Amino acid sequence: VPNKRASACAGELGWYRGNFRPSLSRGDGRFALSPNRARSARSLTGRSLTGSNQAQGSGQASDWHRTLFVERPEVYLPFLQAAEERADAEVATLAALSDEHGVPDNARVLDVACGAGRHATRLARRGFAVTGIDISPLYIELAREGAREAGVDVTWVLGDALDRDDLTGGPFDAFISMFTSIGYEGREADLRLFEGLLTLAAPGAVLVVETGNRDYLVKQFQNETLDLAGDVRVYQKRQLSEDGNALLSDWSFFDAANGALTPTLRLPM
């Protein structure tokens, strides 16, 4: 699995070890929160996207994901909202992979870095017994609200999947890691994550990982990108490491709600 420090490319790959069997997934599309969930996002963060002047800090590369998902989750929330439009197609693909690999219809599934629960809730609708884990209090609360609105039962865990003590439950028949949610702390941390998942795996368990495809990234590499979601703009300056296996990025977030770009957060990754 390539060391990845920022998500900014297209493609997917399957990763497996021990009892895991390889899988390959694909999906495409976008989404938006319901008004109730949007209000909850504002109330839980206690501030607007722009926030206070203290928001315009510079996170350290080693803990950028905690800054973005724990301290300032409202900054990235519009990108999760945009991603939800393609969740139906992605979950249909996950269900097809489950059938292909003999995963039971009522299988126990762990969604690693589940975000606001767009995959976990839809899998629960299909009859899977789903657990979602994420480090973001805001995203877990939104996930809970989404599951209640959908009328499904999902077990939500506020925790870090890299921490063995936070990985509980199981054994699981399937694990999913979607939306390039690995590589935040380098290759060794990825291996530690997968080893931790392996301890919770039922015999023949399936692991599906959606992540950036290194070869695609290198072939289509752009050293500058601008991504849009709602009123948020994120400008990325990017470079590849010398061995071509790590993407080093500097993300600058801007609020464009009032027709002008207001800096909100800068994160080197």
Side-chain angles (χ1 to χ4, degrees):
V1 177
N3 177 12
K4 187 277 315 176
R5 291 195 183 174
S7 167
C9 58
E12 300 81 26
L13 59 86
W15 190 99
Y16 66 102
R17 176 177 180 172
N19 287 336
F20 292 128
R21 297 201 299 272
S23 296
L24 181 69
S25 65
R26 288 196 173 277
D28 219 0
R30 284 183 299 233
F31 149 88
L33 287 181
S34 68
N36 288 340
R37 298 178 73 189
R39 283 194 293 272
S40 296
R42 290 192 292 271
S43 64
L44 284 166
T45 58
R47 59 191 173 202
S48 66
L49 175 66
T50 304
S52 66
N53 291 334
Q54 293 176 344
Q56 299 182 33
S58 176
Q60 299 298 313
S62 61
D63 62 0
W64 65 265
H65 55 293
R66 295 186 181 278
T67 300
L68 187 58
F69 302 136
V70 178
E71 298 173 16
R72 296 299 311 277
E74 79 286 352
V75 173
Y76 196 70
L77 182 58
F79 291 91
L80 295 185
Q81 295 172 336
E84 192 144 342
E85 279 188 7
R86 63 175 177 263
D88 285 338
E90 290 171 341
V91 169
T93 299
L94 290 171
L97 286 169
S98 297
D99 290 341
E100 179 182 342
H101 291 279
V103 176
D105 291 341
N106 60 346
R108 296 152 295 182
V109 179
L110 179 62
D111 185 352
V112 181
C114 64
R118 64 187 183 278
H119 300 109
T121 297
R122 286 170 171 82
L123 286 170
R125 283 177 182 164
R126 289 174 174 261
F128 294 99
V130 187
T131 297
I133 182 171
D134 202 276
I135 63 172
S136 172
L138 171 62
Y139 299 163
I140 286 292
E141 181 58 30
L142 291 174
R144 287 195 180 102
E145 292 186 13
R148 283 196 295 267
E149 290 176 6
V152 296
D153 292 325
V154 179
T155 299
W156 303 108
V157 177
L158 177 60
D160 187 347
L162 289 172
D163 187 337
R164 293 283 182 93
D165 292 336
D166 290 345
L167 285 174
T168 59
F172 293 99
D173 303 298
F175 302 82
I176 62 171
S177 174
M178 305 294 288
F179 208 50
T180 315
S181 297
I182 64 170
Y184 293 170
E185 297 183 19
R187 180 179 177 82
E188 293 305 315
D190 288 344
L191 293 176
R192 189 168 76 252
L193 167 65
F194 293 129
E195 288 167 354
L197 298 183
L198 190 57
T199 66
L200 302 178
V206 173
L207 168 66
V208 180
V209 177
E210 178 195 27
T211 188
N213 182 286
R214 175 196 174 278
D215 294 342
Y216 177 91
L217 186 149
V218 171
K219 183 177 180 181
Q220 306 290 335
F221 186 74
Q222 295 177 301
N223 58 12
E224 293 181 304
T225 65
L226 180 66
D227 290 337
L228 317 175
D231 292 326
V232 179
R233 308 291 183 265
V234 56
Y235 168 68
Q236 302 178 33
K237 293 185 64 176
R238 309 187 301 166
Q239 67 181 45
L240 291 172
S241 61
E242 290 185 4
D243 63 6
N245 287 330
L247 177 62
L248 311 177
S249 298
D250 193 306
W251 286 18
S252 296
F253 289 84
F254 300 86
D255 180 9
N258 298 318
L261 293 178
T262 303
T264 57
L265 183 66
R266 176 173 170 256
L267 289 173
M269 304 180 180

